[in-house]
Amino acid sequence: MGTLRMIDIAVNFTDGMFKGIYHGKQYHAADIAAVLSRAWSAGVQRIIVTGGSLEESREALKIAETDGRLFCTVGVHPTRCKEFEESGDPETYFQALLSLTKEGIEKGKVVAVGECGLDYDRLHFCPADVQKKYFEKQFELANATKLPMFLHMRAAAEDFCGIVERNKQRFCAGVVHSFTDSAEDRDRLLLFSNLYIGINGCSLKTAENLDVVRGIPIERLMIETDSPYCEIKNTHAGIKFVKSVWASKKKEKHDEQCIVKGRNEPCLVRQVLEVMAGCKGITDINQLSETLYHNTCRVFFPQDLDSAADALLAGSHVLDEKN
């Protein structure tokens, strides 16, 4: 598989599919160990497990504690922001998020506040005013903990950018993950110098999507699977650039040596890297993966920014000093 280094910034390991449960029915045993083994073999160095509610964030932290290469987020997804009010006391719910975040930081596991933001495609789960109120509230979490933000924006660029602009002093950096919006929305996000854009299979479906990705500087990109969702399908525009494939079997014929057909998993972040390289006309995939790795460390793992990547960046200065 080669020695690429990748970080998958978005894996939903709390999802039932990784426990073998699909649409409420058990098809096979939990297989996270096999999924992780494939990821590490493919060159994945670290994985960020996403939390989308208080309870899910607790579970994400538990999962992250099982392996030194797993980390997680704590926050509330826009479609679940009603939980703040349904809990009976939004402030108590918020304080529970804060204490969980602090606990996770002490354990060296929580690396971001999120997944939070705005999703106007799914207002049936949570109305816009509730989403906006509790998106804004989660900047308090970022400000109190000094963590970066793991963000979600769907069909809501104007309100989203307005809230980020108002709160830009309250967070250090962030990534807008699973980006699928327009070139115009991309350009709005790129105006924030501390925001990066996360790309997965859903970001690479159409020729228009590929055009949008072409316009994102590699210094502002990260890669992710958002598994078990957002796989790159044979019908997607980006499929022509995919080089790495894994044997797959249907969930009914589960085999730990194979990926489950229709279930995305972290090893497939390598395909996202390949499509990104292909659509940008980049031939040196190793250099691209190093840049993305460095971008990700800069935001989520600043304490151990890879020294080799740093040396690479500083190389020209070293030469100057020697001359």
Side-chain angles (χ1 to χ4, degrees), residues 22-23 27-28 249-255 260-261:
Y22 301 76
H23 308 296
Y27 282 86
H28 58 80
K249 286 192 175 176
K250 290 181 176 173
K251 59 185 182 292
E252 292 82 0
K253 299 189 169 166
H254 185 253
D255 174 349
V260 176
K261 214 177 193 64

Side-chain angles (χ1 to χ4, degrees), residues 13-55:
F13 270 146
T14 61
D15 189 277
M17 282 189 241
F18 291 114
K19 301 180 186 90
I21 301 163
Y22 301 76
H23 308 296
K25 187 180 172 195
Q26 186 92 40
Y27 282 86
H28 58 80
D31 62 349
I32 285 185
V35 167
L36 286 176
S37 174
R38 269 191 293 278
W40 312 139
S41 300
V44 177
Q45 306 276 315
R46 297 173 190 188
I47 289 170
I48 301 176
V49 183
T50 40
S53 67
L54 176 57
E55 202 38 59

Side-chain angles (χ1 to χ4, degrees), residues 5-7 9 45-46 48 111 148 196 221-222 290-307 309-310:
R5 296 195 307 165
M6 298 167 290
I7 298 173
I9 63 161
Q45 306 276 315
R46 297 173 190 188
I48 301 176
V111 294
Y196 292 72
L221 279 165
M222 297 185 194
E290 282 301 303
T291 301
L292 301 174
Y293 186 88
H294 196 80
N295 294 347
T296 309
C297 286
R298 187 175 292 147
V299 175
F300 297 116
F301 306 103
Q303 70 286 0
D304 55 7
L305 255 184
D306 184 71
S307 53
D310 273 344

Side-chain angles (χ1 to χ4, degrees), residues 3-6 223 273 284-294:
T3 55
L4 295 178
R5 296 195 307 165
M6 298 167 290
I223 47 173
L273 180 71
D284 188 346
I285 199 162
N286 281 69
Q287 184 55 55
L288 175 61
S289 78
E290 282 301 303
T291 301
L292 301 174
Y293 186 88
H294 196 80

